């Protein structure tokens, strides 16, 4: 099936927003080291760009969970595919995500990470679809709230494609 991509947020808009979030985090974590936890694969593009704009010391770790197959709807099933390499004990952790949709993935993940004893635990997401929320999740840093449309780019995929787009686009099926 052919699909078209309509630009929702340009590269300039996304970059500007990431710069703002980077500055905000740098201010709020002054005197501390932030430990960024990237949720693969979607969060990786956002995390790298964000990390470059944070001026306090940064360490990084990665984990992979699965909640989506190649469908465009959440299955509600969350599985840890790859766990973090390092403990979170006494670290100031920020979980970096591409998008909060139903909230199922994040609420499961945050509860699990909290049990590992971080000094603080915050959530930063590039995109948020509040209309789609099924499970309540507290988001500390949000890039953009977007309408209920399936988006790709900046790490987000449609059947594993389009992650490399430097902007956020809406998939239009014809
Ligand atoms: P949640 O558990 O429903 O919040 O799902 C979160 C995950 O679903 C995200 O990390 C994405 O991987 C995926 N997802 C949700 N909405 C979209 C979308 O519009 N485009 C691509 N992936 C999405
Ligand atoms: Mg994700």
């Amino acid at each position: 099936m052919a699909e078209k991509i309509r630009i929702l947020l340009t590269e300039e808009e996304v970059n500007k927003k990431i710069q703002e979030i980077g500055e905000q985090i740098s201010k709020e974590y002054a005197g501390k080291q932030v430990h960024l936890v990237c949720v693969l694969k979607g969060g990786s593009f956002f995390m790298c760009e964000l990390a470059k704009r944070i001026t306090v010391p940064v360490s990084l770790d990665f984990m992979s969970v699965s909640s989506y197959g190649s469908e465009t709807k959440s299955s509600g099933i969350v599985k840890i595919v790859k766990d973090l390499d390092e403990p979170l004990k006494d670290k100031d952790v920020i979980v970096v995500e591409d998008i909060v949709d139903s909230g199922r993935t994040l609420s499961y993940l945050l509860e699990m990470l909290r049990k590992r004893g971080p000094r603080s635990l915050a959530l930063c997401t590039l995109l948020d679809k509040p209309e789609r929320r099924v499970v309540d999740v507290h988001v500390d840093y949000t890039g953009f709230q977007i309408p209920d449309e399936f988006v790709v780019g900046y790490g987000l995929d449609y059947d594993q494609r389009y992650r490399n787009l430097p902007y956020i686009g809406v998939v239009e099926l014809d």
Side-chain angles (χ1 to χ4, degrees), residues 79-102:
K79 195 177 85 188
I80 295 187
V81 179
K82 182 218 173 291
D83 206 342
L84 297 170
D85 291 337
E86 292 164 57
L88 298 183
K89 186 108 187 74
D90 299 330
K91 294 192 170 89
D92 290 302
V93 176
I94 304 179
V95 174
V96 181
E97 255 287 24
D98 47 2
I99 190 164
V100 184
D101 184 31
S102 71

mmCIF file of all heavy atoms in Angstrom, residues 79-102:
data_model
loop_
_atom_site.group_PDB
_atom_site.id
_atom_site.type_symbol
_atom_site.label_atom_id
_atom_site.label_comp_id
_atom_site.label_asym_id
_atom_site.label_seq_id
_atom_site.Cartn_x
_atom_site.Cartn_y
_atom_site.Cartn_z
ATOM 1 N N LYS A 79 6.777 -5.611 27.115
ATOM 2 C CA LYS A 79 7.800 -6.615 27.395
ATOM 3 C C LYS A 79 9.171 -5.946 27.358
ATOM 4 O O LYS A 79 9.430 -5.143 26.458
ATOM 5 C CB LYS A 79 7.718 -7.690 26.295
ATOM 6 C CG LYS A 79 8.446 -8.973 26.603
ATOM 7 C CD LYS A 79 8.252 -9.986 25.493
ATOM 8 C CE LYS A 79 9.273 -9.750 24.403
ATOM 9 N NZ LYS A 79 9.110 -10.514 23.199
ATOM 10 N N ILE A 80 10.062 -6.262 28.334
ATOM 11 C CA ILE A 80 11.421 -5.711 28.280
ATOM 12 C C ILE A 80 12.240 -6.555 27.322
ATOM 13 O O ILE A 80 12.437 -7.742 27.528
ATOM 14 C CB ILE A 80 12.101 -5.689 29.662
ATOM 15 C CG1 ILE A 80 11.350 -4.743 30.586
ATOM 16 C CG2 ILE A 80 13.564 -5.250 29.542
ATOM 17 C CD1 ILE A 80 12.006 -4.510 31.898
ATOM 18 N N VAL A 81 12.688 -5.927 26.262
ATOM 19 C CA VAL A 81 13.479 -6.617 25.247
ATOM 20 C C VAL A 81 14.966 -6.468 25.566
ATOM 21 O O VAL A 81 15.751 -7.375 25.410
ATOM 22 C CB VAL A 81 13.176 -6.042 23.843
ATOM 23 C CG1 VAL A 81 14.011 -6.721 22.782
ATOM 24 C CG2 VAL A 81 11.690 -6.190 23.523
ATOM 25 N N LYS A 82 15.343 -5.269 26.040
ATOM 26 C CA LYS A 82 16.717 -5.026 26.474
ATOM 27 C C LYS A 82 16.671 -4.145 27.713
ATOM 28 O O LYS A 82 16.071 -3.085 27.689
ATOM 29 C CB LYS A 82 17.509 -4.313 25.372
ATOM 30 C CG LYS A 82 18.965 -4.072 25.716
ATOM 31 C CD LYS A 82 19.453 -2.721 25.208
ATOM 32 C CE LYS A 82 20.852 -2.367 25.682
ATOM 33 N NZ LYS A 82 20.963 -2.085 27.125
ATOM 34 N N ASP A 83 17.310 -4.614 28.790
ATOM 35 C CA ASP A 83 17.298 -3.829 30.031
ATOM 36 C C ASP A 83 18.475 -2.845 30.040
ATOM 37 O O ASP A 83 19.369 -2.925 29.209
ATOM 38 C CB ASP A 83 17.360 -4.769 31.248
ATOM 39 C CG ASP A 83 16.737 -4.144 32.487
ATOM 40 O OD1 ASP A 83 16.566 -2.909 32.522
ATOM 41 O OD2 ASP A 83 16.422 -4.894 33.434
ATOM 42 N N LEU A 84 18.450 -1.928 31.007
ATOM 43 C CA LEU A 84 19.533 -0.953 31.168
ATOM 44 C C LEU A 84 20.827 -1.666 31.543
ATOM 45 O O LEU A 84 20.787 -2.744 32.163
ATOM 46 C CB LEU A 84 19.158 0.037 32.280
ATOM 47 C CG LEU A 84 17.927 0.901 32.016
ATOM 48 C CD1 LEU A 84 17.537 1.651 33.284
ATOM 49 C CD2 LEU A 84 18.193 1.880 30.871
ATOM 50 N N ASP A 85 21.973 -1.067 31.209
ATOM 51 C CA ASP A 85 23.266 -1.636 31.597
ATOM 52 C C ASP A 85 23.608 -1.284 33.039
ATOM 53 O O ASP A 85 24.270 -2.045 33.722
ATOM 54 C CB ASP A 85 24.392 -1.090 30.687
ATOM 55 C CG ASP A 85 24.267 -1.620 29.264
ATOM 56 O OD1 ASP A 85 23.648 -2.683 29.082
ATOM 57 O OD2 ASP A 85 24.804 -0.965 28.352
ATOM 58 N N GLU A 86 23.207 -0.091 33.477
ATOM 59 C CA GLU A 86 23.642 0.405 34.784
ATOM 60 C C GLU A 86 22.486 0.551 35.770
ATOM 61 O O GLU A 86 21.358 0.802 35.367
ATOM 62 C CB GLU A 86 24.283 1.785 34.605
ATOM 63 C CG GLU A 86 25.594 1.745 33.858
ATOM 64 C CD GLU A 86 25.990 3.126 33.382
ATOM 65 O OE1 GLU A 86 26.095 4.022 34.248
ATOM 66 O OE2 GLU A 86 26.151 3.310 32.174
ATOM 67 N N PRO A 87 22.804 0.418 37.093
ATOM 68 C CA PRO A 87 21.764 0.645 38.100
ATOM 69 C C PRO A 87 21.342 2.114 38.140
ATOM 70 O O PRO A 87 22.104 2.989 37.745
ATOM 71 C CB PRO A 87 22.428 0.231 39.417
ATOM 72 C CG PRO A 87 23.874 0.106 39.155
ATOM 73 C CD PRO A 87 24.093 0.045 37.685
ATOM 74 N N LEU A 88 20.145 2.375 38.649
ATOM 75 C CA LEU A 88 19.631 3.750 38.721
ATOM 76 C C LEU A 88 19.769 4.335 40.115
ATOM 77 O O LEU A 88 19.491 5.517 40.324
ATOM 78 C CB LEU A 88 18.154 3.778 38.306
ATOM 79 C CG LEU A 88 17.841 3.338 36.878
ATOM 80 C CD1 LEU A 88 16.346 3.485 36.607
ATOM 81 C CD2 LEU A 88 18.649 4.160 35.875
ATOM 82 N N LYS A 89 20.207 3.520 41.060
ATOM 83 C CA LYS A 89 20.287 3.922 42.475
ATOM 84 C C LYS A 89 20.975 5.274 42.631
ATOM 85 O O LYS A 89 22.092 5.483 42.150
ATOM 86 C CB LYS A 89 21.055 2.833 43.250
ATOM 87 C CG LYS A 89 21.101 3.035 44.742
ATOM 88 C CD LYS A 89 20.216 2.042 45.487
ATOM 89 C CE LYS A 89 20.133 2.358 46.970
ATOM 90 N NZ LYS A 89 19.285 3.543 47.239
ATOM 91 N N ASP A 90 20.268 6.195 43.306
ATOM 92 C CA ASP A 90 20.775 7.531 43.626
ATOM 93 C C ASP A 90 21.098 8.414 42.412
ATOM 94 O O ASP A 90 21.779 9.418 42.552
ATOM 95 C CB ASP A 90 22.006 7.443 44.555
ATOM 96 C CG ASP A 90 21.660 6.771 45.877
ATOM 97 O OD1 ASP A 90 20.488 6.895 46.312
ATOM 98 O OD2 ASP A 90 22.535 6.101 46.455
ATOM 99 N N LYS A 91 20.609 8.049 41.249
ATOM 100 C CA LYS A 91 20.835 8.902 40.074
ATOM 101 C C LYS A 91 19.608 9.794 39.827
ATOM 102 O O LYS A 91 18.492 9.449 40.210
ATOM 103 C CB LYS A 91 21.074 8.044 38.814
ATOM 104 C CG LYS A 91 22.373 7.229 38.858
ATOM 105 C CD LYS A 91 22.679 6.656 37.479
ATOM 106 C CE LYS A 91 24.069 6.050 37.415
ATOM 107 N NZ LYS A 91 24.097 4.634 37.800
ATOM 108 N N ASP A 92 19.860 10.946 39.198
ATOM 109 C CA ASP A 92 18.764 11.819 38.758
ATOM 110 C C ASP A 92 18.422 11.432 37.327
ATOM 111 O O ASP A 92 19.104 11.829 36.382
ATOM 112 C CB ASP A 92 19.183 13.288 38.868
ATOM 113 C CG ASP A 92 19.289 13.715 40.330
ATOM 114 O OD1 ASP A 92 18.275 13.603 41.046
ATOM 115 O OD2 ASP A 92 20.389 14.129 40.752
ATOM 116 N N VAL A 93 17.363 10.638 37.221
ATOM 117 C CA VAL A 93 17.037 9.973 35.956
ATOM 118 C C VAL A 93 15.955 10.740 35.184
ATOM 119 O O VAL A 93 14.964 11.183 35.764
ATOM 120 C CB VAL A 93 16.553 8.527 36.235
ATOM 121 C CG1 VAL A 93 16.113 7.831 34.952
ATOM 122 C CG2 VAL A 93 17.647 7.718 36.940
ATOM 123 N N ILE A 94 16.185 10.889 33.897
ATOM 124 C CA ILE A 94 15.132 11.407 33.015
ATOM 125 C C ILE A 94 14.904 10.367 31.919
ATOM 126 O O ILE A 94 15.817 10.042 31.160
ATOM 127 C CB ILE A 94 15.508 12.759 32.370
ATOM 128 C CG1 ILE A 94 15.870 13.803 33.429
ATOM 129 C CG2 ILE A 94 14.346 13.269 31.510
ATOM 130 C CD1 ILE A 94 16.290 15.165 32.848
ATOM 131 N N VAL A 95 13.697 9.841 31.878
ATOM 132 C CA VAL A 95 13.334 8.899 30.815
ATOM 133 C C VAL A 95 12.956 9.722 29.588
ATOM 134 O O VAL A 95 12.134 10.640 29.671
ATOM 135 C CB VAL A 95 12.155 7.990 31.256
ATOM 136 C CG1 VAL A 95 11.682 7.110 30.102
ATOM 137 C CG2 VAL A 95 12.563 7.135 32.451
ATOM 138 N N VAL A 96 13.594 9.407 28.462
ATOM 139 C CA VAL A 96 13.363 10.171 27.237
ATOM 140 C C VAL A 96 12.599 9.305 26.235
ATOM 141 O O VAL A 96 13.066 8.243 25.832
ATOM 142 C CB VAL A 96 14.699 10.646 26.621
ATOM 143 C CG1 VAL A 96 14.444 11.468 25.362
ATOM 144 C CG2 VAL A 96 15.487 11.462 27.634
ATOM 145 N N GLU A 97 11.432 9.779 25.864
ATOM 146 C CA GLU A 97 10.552 9.016 24.963
ATOM 147 C C GLU A 97 10.227 9.828 23.718
ATOM 148 O O GLU A 97 10.283 11.048 23.724
ATOM 149 C CB GLU A 97 9.240 8.694 25.693
ATOM 150 C CG GLU A 97 9.102 7.250 26.142
ATOM 151 C CD GLU A 97 8.851 6.276 24.990
ATOM 152 O OE1 GLU A 97 9.196 6.557 23.824
ATOM 153 O OE2 GLU A 97 8.278 5.210 25.276
ATOM 154 N N ASP A 98 9.867 9.126 22.682
ATOM 155 C CA ASP A 98 9.435 9.786 21.462
ATOM 156 C C ASP A 98 8.008 10.316 21.613
ATOM 157 O O ASP A 98 7.701 11.431 21.249
ATOM 158 C CB ASP A 98 9.529 8.843 20.251
ATOM 159 C CG ASP A 98 8.932 7.453 20.503
ATOM 160 O OD1 ASP A 98 8.391 7.198 21.607
ATOM 161 O OD2 ASP A 98 9.002 6.615 19.589
ATOM 162 N N ILE A 99 7.113 9.463 22.164
ATOM 163 C CA ILE A 99 5.701 9.847 22.214
ATOM 164 C C ILE A 99 4.990 9.141 23.362
ATOM 165 O O ILE A 99 5.312 8.002 23.688
ATOM 166 C CB ILE A 99 5.019 9.522 20.850
ATOM 167 C CG1 ILE A 99 3.618 10.120 20.742
ATOM 168 C CG2 ILE A 99 4.986 8.031 20.589
ATOM 169 C CD1 ILE A 99 3.082 10.171 19.317
ATOM 170 N N VAL A 100 4.069 9.851 23.998
ATOM 171 C CA VAL A 100 3.173 9.228 24.959
ATOM 172 C C VAL A 100 1.799 9.184 24.311
ATOM 173 O O VAL A 100 1.244 10.220 23.935
ATOM 174 C CB VAL A 100 3.117 9.979 26.306
ATOM 175 C CG1 VAL A 100 2.247 9.223 27.299
ATOM 176 C CG2 VAL A 100 4.506 10.175 26.884
ATOM 177 N N ASP A 101 1.306 7.976 24.157
ATOM 178 C CA ASP A 101 0.055 7.754 23.421
ATOM 179 C C ASP A 101 -0.987 7.281 24.434
ATOM 180 O O ASP A 101 -1.574 8.093 25.142
ATOM 181 C CB ASP A 101 0.378 6.737 22.316
ATOM 182 C CG ASP A 101 -0.769 6.449 21.373
ATOM 183 O OD1 ASP A 101 -1.582 7.340 21.144
ATOM 184 O OD2 ASP A 101 -0.842 5.323 20.857
ATOM 185 N N SER A 102 -1.220 5.985 24.548
ATOM 186 C CA SER A 102 -2.167 5.491 25.552
ATOM 187 C C SER A 102 -1.604 5.688 26.957
ATOM 188 O O SER A 102 -2.346 5.803 27.928
ATOM 189 C CB SER A 102 -2.454 4.008 25.335
ATOM 190 O OG SER A 102 -1.330 3.227 25.676
#
